[in-house]
Amino acid sequence: MIRCAIIDDEPLSRDVLRQFVSDHPDLILTEEYKDALEAIRGLESNPADLLFLDINMPKLSGINFYKTLITKPQVIFTTAYPEFALEGFELNAVDYLMKPIPFDRFLQAIHKVKERLKTQKESPEYIMLKVDKKLYRTVFSDILFFEAFGDYAKVYLESQVLIITSTMKKMEAELPEELFVRTHKSFIINTSKVDFIEGNQIKIGGRMIPIGMRYRENLLKQLT
């Protein structure tokens, strides 16, 4: 069972989500909160695997609330304002549901949650990278992006750059596709590290990465 919490200041929205959760055999509602401040206290004593989190709330927005969490559950953002939806993509949200929420879209979002939770259980949180004659255990959360470098590849981490004995094609096959995506023949990015997209470029870690035309559709699909 997936433990869910609803955080939304609109009673009608909470009613709809409560009914949807009740109708799904794999979900159980742990609690619902009418604002983010209430949720901060409640989630400490009653944690959840999944949050249905409204973006536009008084005092503290859903986006800013989620950023404050040290342990981040899976999150599905809900909003009545499409202009807010993209604000959360860098937080690696599972999905965005536009209000009023249709039940079929709710089911699609839950399917994504189940696939992601399954992948997390089955897949390691790190990769072994070969540098010269050494193997470095590198956790995915430290990786910003990969860049082609002749017969090698550069790995840009939070604190350093490694030159590894591997090709981009080989790295693309080894990396988890739900977290990493090819943006260009010379670049693979960690989607959780994206700051913003502007035109045919994407910003990560202070660097503007090009977006190739053949990769753009898949990139946008994965980010949204």
Side-chain angles (χ1 to χ4, degrees), residues 127-221:
I127 189 170
M128 301 302 293
L129 298 176
K130 187 176 182 180
V131 181
D132 294 327
K133 296 181 180 181
K134 299 178 181 178
L135 285 174
Y136 284 79
R137 182 182 184 276
T138 307
V139 296
F140 294 137
S141 60
D142 281 345
I143 300 173
L144 298 174
F145 61 90
F146 294 81
E147 181 181 8
F149 187 60
D151 295 329
Y152 299 86
K154 291 183 179 180
V155 188
Y156 290 78
L157 307 177
E158 293 283 0
S159 59
Q160 63 178 316
V161 178
L162 302 177
I163 298 178
I164 62 173
T165 311
S166 183
T167 64
M168 297 295 281
K169 184 177 181 180
K170 184 172 183 291
M171 291 310 308
E172 187 176 20
E174 293 180 354
L175 293 165
E177 60 181 15
E178 72 278 1
L179 187 58
F180 292 89
V181 64
R182 195 85 171 252
T183 66
H184 184 275
K185 65 179 181 180
S186 298
F187 291 91
I188 299 172
I189 68 164
N190 183 339
T191 56
S192 70
K193 302 296 184 177
V194 172
D195 293 319
F196 62 81
I197 296 175
E198 183 177 29
N200 290 322
Q201 293 183 306
I202 189 165
K203 186 179 180 184
I204 298 181
R207 174 84 175 266
M208 297 301 291
I209 307 296
I211 302 173
M213 289 299 295
R214 62 178 292 192
Y215 303 102
R216 185 177 181 85
E217 182 178 352
N218 185 56
L219 169 66
L220 294 177
K221 181 180 179 182

Side-chain angles (χ1 to χ4, degrees), residues 69-120:
L69 298 179
I70 297 175
T71 301
K72 290 179 168 56
Q74 301 297 324
V75 62
I76 296 174
F77 286 111
T78 63
T79 180
Y81 305 94
E83 63 268 24
F84 289 122
L86 291 179
E87 289 187 41
F89 76 84
E90 76 274 13
L91 298 177
N92 202 25
V94 179
D95 209 341
Y96 308 91
L97 297 179
M98 293 297 302
K99 299 177 182 179
I101 301 170
F103 188 57
D104 61 335
R105 275 293 288 118
F106 176 85
L107 292 177
Q108 290 175 22
I110 297 306
H111 178 73
K112 292 180 182 180
V113 173
K114 292 171 67 176
E115 287 298 309
R116 184 175 291 191
L117 291 173
K118 178 181 177 182
T119 301
Q120 287 181 349

Side-chain angles (χ1 to χ4, degrees), residues 42-62:
L43 289 173
E44 289 181 358
S45 58
N46 197 9
D49 305 310
L50 170 64
L51 303 180
F52 293 99
L53 182 55
D54 185 29
I55 291 179
N56 190 30
M57 291 188 292
K59 297 181 182 178
L60 184 64
S61 74

